[in-house]
Short mmCIF file of all heavy atoms in Angstrom, two decimals:
data_model
loop_
_atom_site.label_atom_id
_atom_site.label_comp_id
_atom_site.label_asym_id
_atom_site.label_seq_id
_atom_site.Cartn_x
_atom_site.Cartn_y
_atom_site.Cartn_z
N LYS J 16 25.85 4.35 21.76
CA LYS J 16 24.45 4.66 22.04
C LYS J 16 23.62 3.48 21.48
O LYS J 16 23.92 2.97 20.37
CB LYS J 16 24.04 5.95 21.37
CG LYS J 16 24.59 7.15 22.09
CD LYS J 16 24.14 8.44 21.41
CE LYS J 16 24.63 9.64 22.22
NZ LYS J 16 24.48 10.89 21.49
N VAL J 17 22.60 3.11 22.25
CA VAL J 17 21.83 1.92 21.88
C VAL J 17 20.35 2.27 21.88
O VAL J 17 19.87 3.06 22.71
CB VAL J 17 22.09 0.79 22.92
CG1 VAL J 17 21.30 -0.48 22.54
CG2 VAL J 17 23.58 0.49 23.03
N ASN J 18 19.64 1.68 20.93
CA ASN J 18 18.19 1.78 20.97
C ASN J 18 17.58 0.42 20.64
O ASN J 18 18.11 -0.33 19.82
CB ASN J 18 17.67 2.83 19.99
CG ASN J 18 16.39 3.47 20.43
OD1 ASN J 18 15.69 2.93 21.29
ND2 ASN J 18 16.06 4.62 19.86
N LEU J 19 16.50 0.09 21.32
CA LEU J 19 15.79 -1.19 21.11
C LEU J 19 14.39 -0.85 20.59
O LEU J 19 13.78 0.12 21.07
CB LEU J 19 15.69 -1.95 22.43
CG LEU J 19 17.02 -2.39 23.02
CD1 LEU J 19 16.96 -2.41 24.54
CD2 LEU J 19 17.39 -3.78 22.50
N PHE J 20 13.88 -1.66 19.68
CA PHE J 20 12.63 -1.30 19.04
C PHE J 20 11.58 -2.42 19.15
O PHE J 20 11.91 -3.56 19.47
CB PHE J 20 12.87 -0.94 17.58
CG PHE J 20 13.73 0.27 17.40
CD1 PHE J 20 15.06 0.17 17.09
CD2 PHE J 20 13.21 1.56 17.61
CE1 PHE J 20 15.88 1.29 16.95
CE2 PHE J 20 14.00 2.69 17.47
CZ PHE J 20 15.32 2.56 17.14
N ALA J 21 10.34 -2.02 18.84
CA ALA J 21 9.19 -2.94 18.83
C ALA J 21 9.17 -3.76 20.13
O ALA J 21 9.33 -3.21 21.20
CB ALA J 21 9.20 -3.80 17.57
N ASN J 22 8.97 -5.09 19.99
CA ASN J 22 8.82 -5.88 21.21
C ASN J 22 10.11 -5.98 22.07
O ASN J 22 10.06 -6.48 23.18
CB ASN J 22 8.36 -7.31 20.85
CG ASN J 22 6.88 -7.31 20.44
OD1 ASN J 22 6.09 -6.55 20.98
ND2 ASN J 22 6.53 -8.12 19.46
N LEU J 23 11.22 -5.53 21.50
CA LEU J 23 12.47 -5.55 22.28
C LEU J 23 12.62 -4.35 23.19
O LEU J 23 13.55 -4.28 23.98
CB LEU J 23 13.70 -5.65 21.35
CG LEU J 23 13.82 -6.91 20.52
CD1 LEU J 23 15.09 -6.89 19.68
CD2 LEU J 23 13.82 -8.16 21.43
N ARG J 24 11.69 -3.39 23.10
CA ARG J 24 11.81 -2.21 23.98
C ARG J 24 11.76 -2.58 25.46
O ARG J 24 12.20 -1.83 26.28
CB ARG J 24 10.67 -1.22 23.64
CG ARG J 24 10.79 -0.62 22.25
CD ARG J 24 9.80 0.51 22.09
NE ARG J 24 8.44 0.07 22.34
CZ ARG J 24 7.42 0.86 22.66
NH1 ARG J 24 7.61 2.16 22.76
NH2 ARG J 24 6.20 0.38 22.88
N ARG J 25 11.18 -3.75 25.74
CA ARG J 25 11.09 -4.14 27.16
C ARG J 25 12.45 -4.38 27.79
O ARG J 25 12.56 -4.44 29.01
CB ARG J 25 10.19 -5.37 27.31
CG ARG J 25 10.75 -6.67 26.73
CD ARG J 25 9.68 -7.79 26.82
NE ARG J 25 10.20 -9.11 26.60
CZ ARG J 25 10.38 -9.63 25.39
NH1 ARG J 25 10.14 -8.96 24.28
NH2 ARG J 25 10.86 -10.88 25.27
N PHE J 26 13.49 -4.49 26.98
CA PHE J 26 14.83 -4.69 27.54
C PHE J 26 15.59 -3.38 27.71
O PHE J 26 16.74 -3.38 28.09
CB PHE J 26 15.65 -5.65 26.65
CG PHE J 26 15.05 -7.02 26.60
CD1 PHE J 26 14.39 -7.47 25.45
CD2 PHE J 26 15.11 -7.87 27.70
CE1 PHE J 26 13.82 -8.72 25.40
CE2 PHE J 26 14.56 -9.14 27.64
CZ PHE J 26 13.89 -9.57 26.50
N ASN J 27 14.94 -2.27 27.40
CA ASN J 27 15.59 -0.95 27.60
C ASN J 27 15.71 -0.71 29.13
O ASN J 27 14.69 -0.72 29.84
CB ASN J 27 14.73 0.14 26.94
CG ASN J 27 15.45 1.48 26.91
OD1 ASN J 27 16.06 1.89 27.90
ND2 ASN J 27 15.38 2.17 25.78
N PRO J 28 16.95 -0.45 29.60
CA PRO J 28 17.13 -0.28 31.05
C PRO J 28 16.32 0.88 31.61
O PRO J 28 15.96 0.88 32.79
CB PRO J 28 18.62 0.03 31.19
CG PRO J 28 19.26 -0.31 29.90
CD PRO J 28 18.19 -0.35 28.83
N GLY J 29 15.98 1.86 30.76
CA GLY J 29 15.20 3.01 31.25
C GLY J 29 13.70 2.82 31.09
O GLY J 29 12.93 3.75 31.35
N GLY J 30 13.28 1.66 30.65
CA GLY J 30 11.85 1.42 30.43
C GLY J 30 11.54 1.46 28.95
O GLY J 30 12.30 2.04 28.15
N PRO J 31 10.40 0.86 28.57
CA PRO J 31 10.06 0.68 27.14
C PRO J 31 9.98 1.99 26.35
O PRO J 31 10.22 2.02 25.16
CB PRO J 31 8.69 0.01 27.16
CG PRO J 31 8.49 -0.47 28.54
CD PRO J 31 9.38 0.26 29.45
N GLU J 32 9.65 3.11 27.01
CA GLU J 32 9.52 4.35 26.26
C GLU J 32 10.70 5.28 26.36
O GLU J 32 10.65 6.43 25.96
CB GLU J 32 8.23 5.07 26.72
CG GLU J 32 6.98 4.28 26.33
CD GLU J 32 5.71 4.98 26.81
OE1 GLU J 32 5.66 6.22 26.75
OE2 GLU J 32 4.79 4.26 27.24
N ALA J 33 11.79 4.77 26.95
CA ALA J 33 12.94 5.65 27.21
C ALA J 33 13.73 6.06 25.97
O ALA J 33 14.38 7.08 25.94
CB ALA J 33 13.88 4.97 28.21
N GLY J 34 13.68 5.24 24.95
CA GLY J 34 14.42 5.58 23.72
C GLY J 34 15.90 5.33 23.83
O GLY J 34 16.36 4.56 24.72
N GLU J 35 16.67 6.00 22.98
CA GLU J 35 18.11 5.76 22.90
C GLU J 35 18.81 6.06 24.22
O GLU J 35 18.48 7.03 24.89
CB GLU J 35 18.69 6.62 21.79
CG GLU J 35 20.10 6.28 21.42
CD GLU J 35 20.62 7.12 20.26
OE1 GLU J 35 20.72 8.37 20.45
OE2 GLU J 35 20.92 6.58 19.19
N PHE J 36 19.75 5.18 24.58
CA PHE J 36 20.49 5.41 25.85
C PHE J 36 21.99 5.17 25.63
O PHE J 36 22.38 4.37 24.76
CB PHE J 36 19.95 4.46 26.95
CG PHE J 36 20.02 2.99 26.61
CD1 PHE J 36 21.12 2.23 26.99
CD2 PHE J 36 18.98 2.39 25.89
CE1 PHE J 36 21.14 0.86 26.67
CE2 PHE J 36 19.03 1.03 25.58
CZ PHE J 36 20.12 0.27 25.97
N PRO J 37 22.82 5.90 26.41
CA PRO J 37 24.28 5.72 26.29
C PRO J 37 24.73 4.50 27.05
O PRO J 37 24.08 4.12 28.03
CB PRO J 37 24.84 7.00 26.94
CG PRO J 37 23.78 7.45 27.87
CD PRO J 37 22.45 6.95 27.38
N LEU J 38 25.79 3.88 26.61
CA LEU J 38 26.30 2.69 27.28
C LEU J 38 27.81 2.61 27.10
O LEU J 38 28.35 3.02 26.06
CB LEU J 38 25.64 1.45 26.66
CG LEU J 38 25.75 0.14 27.42
CD1 LEU J 38 24.92 0.16 28.71
CD2 LEU J 38 25.30 -1.02 26.56
N GLU J 39 28.45 2.08 28.10
CA GLU J 39 29.90 1.87 28.02
C GLU J 39 30.13 0.37 27.88
O GLU J 39 29.62 -0.39 28.71
CB GLU J 39 30.56 2.39 29.30
CG GLU J 39 31.94 2.92 29.09
CD GLU J 39 32.50 3.59 30.36
OE1 GLU J 39 32.54 2.90 31.41
OE2 GLU J 39 32.86 4.74 30.28
N VAL J 40 30.89 -0.02 26.87
CA VAL J 40 31.15 -1.47 26.70
C VAL J 40 32.66 -1.70 26.68
O VAL J 40 33.44 -0.78 26.35
CB VAL J 40 30.52 -2.02 25.40
CG1 VAL J 40 29.00 -2.00 25.49
CG2 VAL J 40 31.02 -1.30 24.17
N GLU J 41 33.06 -2.92 27.01
CA GLU J 41 34.46 -3.30 26.96
C GLU J 41 34.99 -3.14 25.56
O GLU J 41 34.27 -3.43 24.58
CB GLU J 41 34.62 -4.77 27.37
CG GLU J 41 34.12 -5.11 28.77
CD GLU J 41 35.22 -4.94 29.81
OE1 GLU J 41 36.38 -4.84 29.42
OE2 GLU J 41 34.86 -4.88 31.01
N GLU J 42 36.26 -2.72 25.42
CA GLU J 42 36.92 -2.74 24.10
C GLU J 42 36.76 -4.15 23.52
O GLU J 42 36.94 -5.12 24.22
CB GLU J 42 38.42 -2.42 24.24
CG GLU J 42 38.75 -1.01 24.63
CD GLU J 42 38.50 0.00 23.49
OE1 GLU J 42 38.46 -0.43 22.32
OE2 GLU J 42 38.33 1.17 23.79
N GLY J 43 36.48 -4.21 22.24
CA GLY J 43 36.42 -5.52 21.57
C GLY J 43 35.09 -6.24 21.71
O GLY J 43 34.92 -7.34 21.22
N SER J 44 34.14 -5.61 22.41
CA SER J 44 32.83 -6.25 22.54
C SER J 44 32.12 -6.35 21.20
O SER J 44 32.21 -5.45 20.36
CB SER J 44 31.93 -5.42 23.45
OG SER J 44 32.40 -5.41 24.77
N THR J 45 31.44 -7.47 21.03
CA THR J 45 30.65 -7.66 19.77
C THR J 45 29.18 -7.38 20.07
O THR J 45 28.78 -7.16 21.22
CB THR J 45 30.76 -9.11 19.29
OG1 THR J 45 30.20 -9.95 20.29
CG2 THR J 45 32.22 -9.52 19.06
N LEU J 46 28.41 -7.41 19.01
CA LEU J 46 26.97 -7.26 19.18
C LEU J 46 26.39 -8.37 20.07
O LEU J 46 25.53 -8.11 20.92
CB LEU J 46 26.25 -7.23 17.85
CG LEU J 46 26.42 -5.93 17.02
CD1 LEU J 46 25.84 -6.08 15.63
CD2 LEU J 46 25.75 -4.75 17.75
N SER J 47 26.93 -9.56 19.91
CA SER J 47 26.45 -10.67 20.74
C SER J 47 26.70 -10.37 22.22
O SER J 47 25.85 -10.63 23.09
CB SER J 47 27.17 -11.98 20.39
OG SER J 47 26.71 -12.44 19.15
N ASP J 48 27.89 -9.83 22.50
CA ASP J 48 28.18 -9.45 23.92
C ASP J 48 27.18 -8.40 24.40
O ASP J 48 26.73 -8.45 25.56
CB ASP J 48 29.62 -8.86 24.01
CG ASP J 48 30.69 -9.86 23.62
OD1 ASP J 48 30.45 -11.08 23.84
OD2 ASP J 48 31.72 -9.44 23.09
N LEU J 49 26.87 -7.48 23.53
CA LEU J 49 25.92 -6.42 23.91
C LEU J 49 24.54 -7.00 24.24
O LEU J 49 23.93 -6.61 25.24
CB LEU J 49 25.80 -5.40 22.75
CG LEU J 49 24.78 -4.29 22.92
CD1 LEU J 49 25.14 -3.39 24.09
CD2 LEU J 49 24.67 -3.45 21.63
N PHE J 50 24.08 -7.95 23.42
CA PHE J 50 22.76 -8.58 23.69
C PHE J 50 22.78 -9.22 25.07
O PHE J 50 21.84 -9.11 25.85
CB PHE J 50 22.41 -9.65 22.65
CG PHE J 50 22.42 -9.19 21.22
CD1 PHE J 50 22.64 -10.09 20.19
CD2 PHE J 50 22.22 -7.86 20.91
CE1 PHE J 50 22.66 -9.69 18.89
CE2 PHE J 50 22.25 -7.44 19.58
CZ PHE J 50 22.47 -8.37 18.58
N ARG J 51 23.90 -9.92 25.38
CA ARG J 51 24.02 -10.58 26.65
C ARG J 51 23.94 -9.58 27.80
O ARG J 51 23.23 -9.77 28.75
CB ARG J 51 25.33 -11.36 26.73
CG ARG J 51 25.16 -12.87 26.94
CD ARG J 51 26.45 -13.60 27.29
NE ARG J 51 27.64 -13.11 26.60
CZ ARG J 51 28.01 -13.52 25.37
NH1 ARG J 51 27.30 -14.37 24.68
NH2 ARG J 51 29.12 -13.04 24.83
N GLU J 52 24.71 -8.49 27.62
CA GLU J 52 24.74 -7.47 28.65
C GLU J 52 23.35 -6.87 28.91
O GLU J 52 22.96 -6.58 30.05
CB GLU J 52 25.72 -6.38 28.26
CG GLU J 52 25.74 -5.23 29.27
CD GLU J 52 27.06 -4.48 29.28
OE1 GLU J 52 28.02 -4.96 28.67
OE2 GLU J 52 27.09 -3.41 29.91
N LEU J 53 22.58 -6.73 27.84
CA LEU J 53 21.24 -6.11 27.99
C LEU J 53 20.18 -7.14 28.37
O LEU J 53 19.02 -6.79 28.62
CB LEU J 53 20.83 -5.44 26.66
CG LEU J 53 21.66 -4.23 26.24
CD1 LEU J 53 21.31 -3.80 24.82
CD2 LEU J 53 21.46 -3.08 27.21
N GLY J 54 20.55 -8.42 28.35
CA GLY J 54 19.59 -9.48 28.67
C GLY J 54 18.61 -9.74 27.53
O GLY J 54 17.51 -10.30 27.77
N VAL J 55 19.02 -9.41 26.34
CA VAL J 55 18.15 -9.66 25.18
C VAL J 55 18.45 -11.06 24.65
O VAL J 55 19.58 -11.32 24.21
CB VAL J 55 18.40 -8.62 24.06
CG1 VAL J 55 17.50 -8.88 22.86
CG2 VAL J 55 18.20 -7.21 24.59
N PRO J 56 17.47 -11.96 24.66
CA PRO J 56 17.71 -13.29 24.11
C PRO J 56 18.08 -13.19 22.63
O PRO J 56 17.37 -12.53 21.88
CB PRO J 56 16.37 -14.02 24.28
CG PRO J 56 15.59 -13.18 25.25
CD PRO J 56 16.09 -11.79 25.12
N LYS J 57 19.20 -13.83 22.23
CA LYS J 57 19.68 -13.58 20.87
C LYS J 57 18.70 -14.09 19.82
O LYS J 57 18.66 -13.58 18.72
CB LYS J 57 21.09 -14.16 20.69
CG LYS J 57 21.23 -15.68 20.82
CD LYS J 57 22.68 -16.05 20.54
CE LYS J 57 22.88 -17.55 20.42
NZ LYS J 57 22.55 -18.30 21.67
N GLU J 58 17.89 -15.08 20.19
CA GLU J 58 16.94 -15.58 19.19
C GLU J 58 15.81 -14.59 18.91
O GLU J 58 15.09 -14.72 17.92
CB GLU J 58 16.40 -16.97 19.57
CG GLU J 58 15.61 -17.03 20.88
CD GLU J 58 16.50 -17.14 22.11
OE1 GLU J 58 17.74 -17.01 21.99
OE2 GLU J 58 15.97 -17.35 23.22
N GLU J 59 15.70 -13.60 19.77
CA GLU J 59 14.64 -12.58 19.52
C GLU J 59 15.16 -11.43 18.65
O GLU J 59 14.37 -10.59 18.21
CB GLU J 59 14.13 -12.00 20.86
CG GLU J 59 13.25 -12.99 21.63
CD GLU J 59 12.49 -12.30 22.74
OE1 GLU J 59 12.04 -11.15 22.55
OE2 GLU J 59 12.32 -12.93 23.81
N VAL J 60 16.46 -11.40 18.43
CA VAL J 60 17.04 -10.32 17.62
C VAL J 60 17.05 -10.76 16.14
O VAL J 60 17.54 -11.84 15.82
CB VAL J 60 18.47 -9.99 18.06
CG1 VAL J 60 19.09 -8.94 17.13
CG2 VAL J 60 18.49 -9.54 19.50
N LYS J 61 16.48 -9.93 15.31
CA LYS J 61 16.46 -10.29 13.89
C LYS J 61 17.43 -9.41 13.08
O LYS J 61 18.14 -9.90 12.24
CB LYS J 61 15.03 -10.11 13.37
CG LYS J 61 14.86 -10.42 11.89
CD LYS J 61 14.64 -11.90 11.63
CE LYS J 61 14.28 -12.11 10.16
NZ LYS J 61 14.03 -13.51 9.88
N ILE J 62 17.41 -8.13 13.35
CA ILE J 62 18.18 -7.18 12.53
C ILE J 62 18.85 -6.14 13.42
O ILE J 62 18.24 -5.64 14.36
CB ILE J 62 17.26 -6.42 11.55
CG1 ILE J 62 16.42 -7.42 10.75
CG2 ILE J 62 18.03 -5.51 10.62
CD1 ILE J 62 15.03 -6.93 10.43
N VAL J 63 20.11 -5.84 13.12
CA VAL J 63 20.81 -4.78 13.86
C VAL J 63 21.42 -3.81 12.88
O VAL J 63 22.05 -4.21 11.88
CB VAL J 63 21.94 -5.37 14.74
CG1 VAL J 63 22.58 -4.27 15.56
CG2 VAL J 63 21.42 -6.46 15.63
N PHE J 64 21.19 -2.52 13.13
CA PHE J 64 21.87 -1.47 12.37
C PHE J 64 22.85 -0.78 13.27
O PHE J 64 22.55 -0.47 14.43
CB PHE J 64 20.85 -0.44 11.84
CG PHE J 64 20.07 -0.95 10.66
CD1 PHE J 64 18.84 -1.56 10.83
CD2 PHE J 64 20.59 -0.82 9.38
CE1 PHE J 64 18.13 -2.04 9.74
CE2 PHE J 64 19.89 -1.29 8.28
CZ PHE J 64 18.65 -1.91 8.45
N VAL J 65 24.07 -0.55 12.73
CA VAL J 65 25.06 0.24 13.46
C VAL J 65 25.41 1.39 12.51
O VAL J 65 25.85 1.15 11.37
CB VAL J 65 26.32 -0.58 13.81
CG1 VAL J 65 27.31 0.30 14.55
CG2 VAL J 65 25.95 -1.82 14.61
N ASN J 66 25.21 2.60 12.95
CA ASN J 66 25.47 3.79 12.14
C ASN J 66 24.81 3.67 10.76
O ASN J 66 25.45 3.89 9.73
CB ASN J 66 26.97 4.04 11.99
CG ASN J 66 27.65 4.10 13.34
OD1 ASN J 66 27.06 4.51 14.34
ND2 ASN J 66 28.89 3.63 13.40
N ASN J 67 23.59 3.23 10.74
CA ASN J 67 22.76 3.09 9.52
C ASN J 67 23.17 1.96 8.58
O ASN J 67 22.66 1.84 7.47
CB ASN J 67 22.74 4.40 8.72
CG ASN J 67 22.26 5.59 9.53
OD1 ASN J 67 23.00 6.54 9.77
ND2 ASN J 67 21.01 5.54 9.98
N LEU J 68 24.08 1.09 9.04
CA LEU J 68 24.46 -0.07 8.21
C LEU J 68 24.07 -1.35 8.94
O LEU J 68 24.28 -1.46 10.17
CB LEU J 68 25.97 -0.08 7.95
CG LEU J 68 26.48 1.06 7.06
CD1 LEU J 68 28.00 1.06 7.06
CD2 LEU J 68 25.93 0.93 5.63
N ARG J 69 23.56 -2.31 8.19
CA ARG J 69 23.20 -3.56 8.83
C ARG J 69 24.44 -4.35 9.19
O ARG J 69 25.38 -4.45 8.40
CB ARG J 69 22.30 -4.40 7.89
CG ARG J 69 21.61 -5.53 8.63
CD ARG J 69 20.40 -5.97 7.91
NE ARG J 69 20.77 -6.53 6.61
CZ ARG J 69 19.89 -7.05 5.77
NH1 ARG J 69 18.61 -7.08 6.08
NH2 ARG J 69 20.29 -7.51 4.62
N ARG J 70 24.47 -4.84 10.41
CA ARG J 70 25.65 -5.59 10.89
C ARG J 70 25.24 -6.94 11.45
O ARG J 70 24.12 -7.09 11.96
CB ARG J 70 26.37 -4.79 11.99
CG ARG J 70 26.94 -3.47 11.52
CD ARG J 70 28.09 -3.65 10.54
NE ARG J 70 28.76 -2.38 10.21
CZ ARG J 70 29.64 -2.25 9.24
NH1 ARG J 70 29.98 -3.29 8.50
NH2 ARG J 70 30.20 -1.08 9.01
N GLN J 71 26.18 -7.86 11.38
CA GLN J 71 25.94 -9.21 11.94
C GLN J 71 26.36 -9.25 13.40
O GLN J 71 27.02 -8.33 13.92
CB GLN J 71 26.71 -10.28 11.12
CG GLN J 71 26.37 -10.28 9.62
CD GLN J 71 24.89 -10.48 9.35
OE1 GLN J 71 24.24 -11.29 9.99
NE2 GLN J 71 24.34 -9.71 8.39
N LYS J 72 26.07 -10.36 14.06
CA LYS J 72 26.24 -10.47 15.51
C LYS J 72 27.72 -10.45 15.96
O LYS J 72 28.01 -10.15 17.10
CB LYS J 72 25.55 -11.72 16.06
CG LYS J 72 24.03 -11.55 16.02
CD LYS J 72 23.26 -12.82 16.24
CE LYS J 72 21.77 -12.52 16.06
NZ LYS J 72 20.93 -13.75 16.10
N ASP J 73 28.63 -10.75 15.00
CA ASP J 73 30.03 -10.76 15.38
C ASP J 73 30.70 -9.39 15.17
O ASP J 73 31.91 -9.24 15.36
CB ASP J 73 30.79 -11.85 14.60
CG ASP J 73 30.65 -11.66 13.08
OD1 ASP J 73 29.97 -10.70 12.65
OD2 ASP J 73 31.25 -12.48 12.34
N TYR J 74 29.94 -8.41 14.80
CA TYR J 74 30.48 -7.05 14.59
C TYR J 74 31.11 -6.54 15.90
O TYR J 74 30.49 -6.66 16.98
CB TYR J 74 29.38 -6.11 14.12
CG TYR J 74 29.77 -4.65 14.09
CD1 TYR J 74 30.49 -4.12 13.01
CD2 TYR J 74 29.48 -3.81 15.17
CE1 TYR J 74 30.87 -2.79 13.01
CE2 TYR J 74 29.86 -2.47 15.17
CZ TYR J 74 30.55 -1.97 14.09
OH TYR J 74 30.94 -0.65 14.07
N VAL J 75 32.30 -5.98 15.79
CA VAL J 75 32.98 -5.45 16.97
C VAL J 75 32.65 -3.97 17.15
O VAL J 75 32.86 -3.15 16.23
CB VAL J 75 34.52 -5.62 16.84
CG1 VAL J 75 35.21 -5.01 18.05
CG2 VAL J 75 34.88 -7.10 16.74
N LEU J 76 32.10 -3.64 18.31
CA LEU J 76 31.62 -2.26 18.56
C LEU J 76 32.77 -1.28 18.65
O LEU J 76 33.84 -1.57 19.22
CB LEU J 76 30.81 -2.24 19.86
CG LEU J 76 29.47 -2.98 19.74
CD1 LEU J 76 28.93 -3.37 21.11
CD2 LEU J 76 28.46 -2.10 18.98
N GLN J 77 32.55 -0.10 18.08
CA GLN J 77 33.58 0.97 18.04
C GLN J 77 33.07 2.18 18.83
O GLN J 77 31.88 2.40 18.95
CB GLN J 77 33.82 1.43 16.58
CG GLN J 77 34.10 0.30 15.60
CD GLN J 77 35.44 -0.38 15.83
OE1 GLN J 77 36.42 0.27 16.12
NE2 GLN J 77 35.44 -1.72 15.77
N GLU J 78 34.02 2.95 19.31
CA GLU J 78 33.72 4.20 20.01
C GLU J 78 32.73 5.04 19.18
O GLU J 78 32.98 5.27 17.99
CB GLU J 78 35.02 4.96 20.27
CG GLU J 78 34.88 6.33 20.91
CD GLU J 78 34.44 6.25 22.39
OE1 GLU J 78 34.73 5.24 23.04
OE2 GLU J 78 33.82 7.23 22.85
N GLY J 79 31.66 5.51 19.78
CA GLY J 79 30.73 6.40 19.10
C GLY J 79 29.66 5.71 18.26
O GLY J 79 28.81 6.38 17.66
N ASP J 80 29.66 4.37 18.23
CA ASP J 80 28.64 3.65 17.42
C ASP J 80 27.24 3.94 17.94
O ASP J 80 27.01 4.06 19.15
CB ASP J 80 28.89 2.14 17.52
CG ASP J 80 29.94 1.67 16.53
OD1 ASP J 80 30.34 2.48 15.66
OD2 ASP J 80 30.34 0.47 16.61
N ARG J 81 26.30 4.04 17.00
CA ARG J 81 24.86 4.10 17.34
C ARG J 81 24.23 2.80 16.86
O ARG J 81 24.25 2.50 15.67
CB ARG J 81 24.21 5.31 16.69
CG ARG J 81 24.65 6.61 17.28
CD ARG J 81 23.95 7.77 16.65
NE ARG J 81 22.60 7.94 17.16
CZ ARG J 81 21.83 8.99 16.85
NH1 ARG J 81 22.28 9.91 16.01
NH2 ARG J 81 20.61 9.10 17.35
N VAL J 82 23.68 2.08 17.82
CA VAL J 82 23.17 0.74 17.52
C VAL J 82 21.64 0.70 17.63
O VAL J 82 21.09 1.19 18.61
CB VAL J 82 23.78 -0.30 18.52
CG1 VAL J 82 23.33 -1.71 18.21
CG2 VAL J 82 25.31 -0.19 18.53
N GLY J 83 20.99 0.15 16.64
CA GLY J 83 19.54 -0.04 16.68
C GLY J 83 19.23 -1.54 16.57
O GLY J 83 19.67 -2.20 15.62
N ILE J 84 18.50 -2.05 17.52
CA ILE J 84 18.26 -3.51 17.58
C ILE J 84 16.77 -3.81 17.37
O ILE J 84 15.91 -3.25 18.08
CB ILE J 84 18.73 -4.09 18.94
CG1 ILE J 84 20.18 -3.66 19.21
CG2 ILE J 84 18.57 -5.59 18.98
CD1 ILE J 84 20.67 -4.01 20.62
#
Side-chain angles (χ1 to χ4, degrees):
Chain J
K16 286 181 175 168
V17 182
N18 210 342
L19 296 148
F20 296 102
N22 287 324
L23 295 182
R24 293 190 303 160
R25 69 186 193 276
F26 297 107
N27 189 317
E32 293 179 38
E35 192 178 63
F36 57 94
L38 194 71
E39 211 174 57
V40 293
E41 300 271 344
E42 290 288 340
S44 293
T45 63
L46 285 172
S47 289
D48 298 329
L49 175 65
F50 305 155
R51 240 191 323 275
E52 176 154 348
L53 294 170
V55 180
K57 64 177 189 299
E58 61 278 8
E59 288 195 37
V60 177
K61 179 84 172 182
I62 308 146
V63 184
F64 284 93
V65 181
N66 307 329
N67 304 115
L68 293 171
R69 195 158 63 179
R70 297 293 187 190
Q71 303 303 318
K72 288 167 185 174
D73 57 359
Y74 171 82
V75 178
L76 291 160
Q77 310 290 319
E78 176 71 25
D80 277 351
R81 290 182 78 173
V82 183
I84 307 172

